[in-house]
Amino acid sequence: MELILQSQSIKNAKSKTLVVGVFQSPDGKKPLSACKAKIGEDILNSLAKAEVFTGEKGKVYFVRSYDKDPSIVFIGLGKTSETDTECLRVTAANLEKKLEAESINEAAICVDSLLHKDVTKKFAVEALLQSFAEGLLLTQYSFDKYKEKPKTKKLKKVTFHTEKKSKKLNESLVTAEVLSDAVFIARDLSNEPSSTIYPQSLGKEAEKLAKKYGVKCRVMQKAELVKEKMGGILGVGQGSNNPPTFIIMEYKPKAMKKTAKKIAFVGKAVTFDTGGISLKPSPKMEEMKHDMSGGANAIAAILGAAKLGVKNHIFAYIPAAENMPGGKAICPSTILKSRSGKTIEVQNTDAEGRLILCDALDYAQEKKPDVIIDMATLTGAVVIALGNACSAIMGNNQTAVNRYLEIAEETGEKHWQLPLYKEYDDDMNSKIADVCNIGGDRGAGSQKAAVFLQRFIKEGQTWMHLDIAASAWNQRHLPYAPYGATGATVRTLIAFASKY
Ligand code: BES
Ligand code: ZN
Ligand code: ZN
């Protein structure tokens, strides 16, 4: 879909479909239209009188024209006190679905109708427009390449009409495009089955994408992992015929300033998680093709950051392995020696994400980054604790966590912080190795996985961990999240790369 900014009133729009934003009066009874062109006001009043549509948040009302007049689509933005950027994203998503259902190829949007002064007091016009564009774009995703007849999207062009002349507004649309392209990369990689995405093919895909985006990429093969003494990645990978890999990417801004921050993304890429010898039950096991979503997000985020030309120096590290119960697989009781030198007693081979991440985290620290963010579909426990409404965040530096959460507030991606208590750390001790890969009881599973990772973080290293096991796929409550992978956290990671 093409998004175009038109610096002229919607009155001059050529499109046969006009979109008008409608706010609700404080008592919720009356529609308030901020569209100066007064498009469809009579219709709007009659809809309100009949109590059919008063501008309720997220609601879309399509009025099809039967003559030469254009069709009009009213989109509800709610009470001005409640409207925020996420409301625009959601409303735009619902709009896209409606236009698609009504077989509309092209629509024109009255931008001032989205910009009530109560709302622009709280949010920059650019942020509002970007969110709206994101909502439209993100909703157009579908993963149907394996179907005989993939569906083509009917909605091809949307023009944004505003009399405001601003280069920044055009930038908002471009940014939305870069972000949604990055989210699509993450979704595509995660949605691919394990027959096409395995550690080596993921490496190849990363190389291809890196080349396209002008990002450096190197893929370590098994022999190099042996040289690097990455016992965790090798251990998890040894039960599979597909050998593990380690993907390293780097984006360095042109004419980098001394003040540029070094940011490292580390993403778990278990291309399929059977559980290994601690085999998972069959129902829904196919979902474990998504167990590389952390890696997919790390790849997508560094590419998106590069495309935006952020000023910070970004690294991405993706340990990739297939967790299979083959004849050479590690068993519960195996002791692995990680790259850091610490030994790990494996009591459950299904707690494999942390085994590959600890080597990657150890490696990532060699560049002494200002901050490391790892992301992983790490624990079933996070699904129980928080449901799929949000991602969990944990970290060792509250200032950095707060900054991340502030940025996530702007991107509308929900996160919730969980504590890293010493009690959890104590529970990860092993009687025979330096650390055990599972806790003594089932409580606080997500936090215990995180403190396991924290044991591999050196003194003074700022680190955050995102558990995306619940948010990486099936967020069907979000109208802009499709069936399958969501790419949740990618937009926040890119915003973090640009703002930290
Ligand atoms: N990949 C899973 C976590 C997961 C579970 C993600 C459900 C998404 C949905 C991870 O490798 C795993 O199996 N973790 C175990 C850890 C346990 C053995 C301590 C879990 O959560 O059950
Ligand atoms: Zn597992
Ligand atoms: Zn896993």
Side-chain angles (χ1 to χ4, degrees), residues 268 273 280 288 291 348 350 352 377-380 438 469 473:
K268 165 182 173 182
D273 183 11
K280 285 183 183 293
M288 284 302 131
D291 210 22
N348 188 319
D350 197 12
E352 83 299 339
T377 48
L378 205 60
T379 64
I438 60 168
W473 68 94

Side-chain angles (χ1 to χ4, degrees), residues 307-324:
K307 186 90 185 192
L308 287 183
V310 305
K311 300 279 177 275
N312 288 320
H313 193 177
I314 319 290
F315 299 85
Y317 302 98
I318 300 104
E322 190 178 58
N323 190 21
M324 297 289 271

Side-chain angles (χ1 to χ4, degrees), residues 263-283:
I263 300 174
F265 296 140
V266 178
K268 165 182 173 182
V270 171
T271 55
F272 196 83
D273 183 11
T274 66
I277 297 297
S278 313
L279 195 62
K280 285 183 183 293
S282 308

